[in-house]
């Protein structure tokens, strides 16, 4: 139990589908993140939310749309994805942002395959 | 841009010691993290260094040299369960984490 829960664990979707990834944290943290992890590549930060406000958007294509209704929940809405978007999508949370010495707690990720 | 370099893969023997190196660019440094990630699992925090020197936590130790832009993770008395990827991440001047691609550590009996 990591304190950060992601659903679903696995997702296969067609390029015309619309789906959403969900993340929930029970740690009382103020900051939540979406990362993309591709094989043998560094983690790529996609979005950061601090106190429900988006503070970072690292040039992510508009086919990825985040939503943060409260400090405990984070969604990533997906539509018209491309096969190269297939990856492990990790959600994380930390006490605050930015806070350089605060560790991040990660969920187990959603393994996304776009066909 | 910032680059984090760490070996792609290492192999070690159960009971032995292994050192995983990480180099980073030194401008605007605000700390360095090590995370462990087992296959199919979430990355989990191992250590954070912001000052030079060695920090020990049980079988795992992390070292930092800011002047050299260099860190290492030292794992002693290796166990099979230590087989995992080890991720190095630098906190840059904008307080963003710059991640390495990870080192896959394979432990053999």
């Amino acid at each position: 139990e990591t304190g950060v829960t992601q659903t679903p664990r696995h997702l296969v979707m067609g390029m015309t589908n619309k789906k959403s990834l969900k993340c929930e944290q029970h740690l009382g943290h103020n900051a939540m993140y979406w990362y993309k992890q591709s094989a043998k590549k560094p983690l790529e930060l996609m979005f950061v939310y601090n106190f429900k406000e988006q503070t970072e958007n690292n040039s992510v294509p508009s086919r990825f749309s985040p939503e943060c209704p409260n400090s405990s929940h984070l969604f990533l809405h997906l539509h018209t994805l491309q096969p190269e978007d297939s990856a492990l999508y990790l959600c994380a949370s930390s006490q605050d942002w930015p806070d350089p010495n605060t560790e991040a707690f990660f969920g187990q990720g959603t393994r996304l395959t776009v066909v | 841009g910032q680059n984090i370099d760490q070996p792609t893969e290492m192999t070690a023997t159960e009971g032995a010691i292994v050192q995983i190196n990480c180099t980073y660019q030194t401008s605007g440094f605000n700390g360095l993290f090590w995370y462990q990630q087992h296959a199919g699992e979430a990355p989990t925090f191992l250590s954070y260094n912001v000052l030079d020197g060695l920090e020990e936590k049980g079988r795992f130790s992390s070292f930092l040299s800011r002047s050299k832009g260099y860190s290492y993770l030292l794992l002693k008395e290796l166990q099979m369960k230590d087989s995992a990827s080890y991720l190095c991440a630098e906190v840059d001047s904008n307080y963003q984490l710059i991640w390495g691609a990870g080192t896959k550590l394979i432990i053999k009996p």
Side-chain angles (χ1 to χ4, degrees), chain A residues 2 9 35 37 40-45 56 58 88 90 97-109 111, chain B residues 4 8-9 30-31 33 35 37 40-45 48 50 87 91-92 94-102:
Chain A
T2 65
R9 291 292 307 276
Y35 281 95
Q37 187 175 36
K40 299 185 179 180
K41 290 186 178 179
L43 282 171
E44 299 174 45
L45 179 64
E56 295 286 333
N58 283 0
L88 181 68
L90 289 165
W97 168 272
D99 194 347
N101 64 352
T102 299
E103 65 186 271
F105 290 78
F106 286 84
Q108 292 185 292
R111 173 67 62 186
Chain B
I4 304 292
T8 302
E9 187 173 298
N30 277 304
F33 285 93
Y35 281 80
Q37 186 178 23
E41 303 281 328
T44 55
F45 169 81
Y48 172 75
V50 67
L87 312 179
V91 184
D92 73 4
N94 296 316
Y95 300 108
Q96 291 226 15
L97 280 175
I98 311 298
W99 293 84

Side-chain angles (χ1 to χ4, degrees), chain A residues 11-103:
Chain A
L11 178 62
V12 179
M13 60 185 289
M15 289 189 283
T16 59
N17 291 160
K18 287 184 180 181
K19 296 287 184 183
S20 295
L21 309 184
K22 179 182 176 182
C23 177
E24 187 173 357
Q25 57 98 0
H26 305 281
L27 301 168
H29 289 165
N30 299 315
M32 296 187 76
Y33 314 78
W34 281 116
Y35 281 95
K36 177 182 179 182
Q37 187 175 36
S38 302
K40 299 185 179 180
K41 290 186 178 179
L43 282 171
E44 299 174 45
L45 179 64
M46 300 174 72
F47 301 104
V48 181
Y49 278 81
N50 195 39
F51 290 97
K52 303 188 299 177
E53 299 296 320
Q54 188 179 124
T55 58
E56 295 286 333
N57 174 344
N58 283 0
S59 304
V60 179
S62 59
R63 57 186 183 269
F64 294 92
S65 174
E67 179 190 358
C68 188
N70 55 61
S71 293
S72 298
H73 294 85
L74 187 64
F75 296 90
L76 188 62
H77 304 299
L78 316 170
H79 63 99
T80 58
L81 294 192
Q82 304 298 310
E84 59 265 30
D85 296 323
S86 298
L88 181 68
Y89 288 85
L90 289 165
C91 174
S93 71
S94 66
Q95 188 59 55
D96 288 298
W97 168 272
D99 194 347
N101 64 352
T102 299
E103 65 186 271

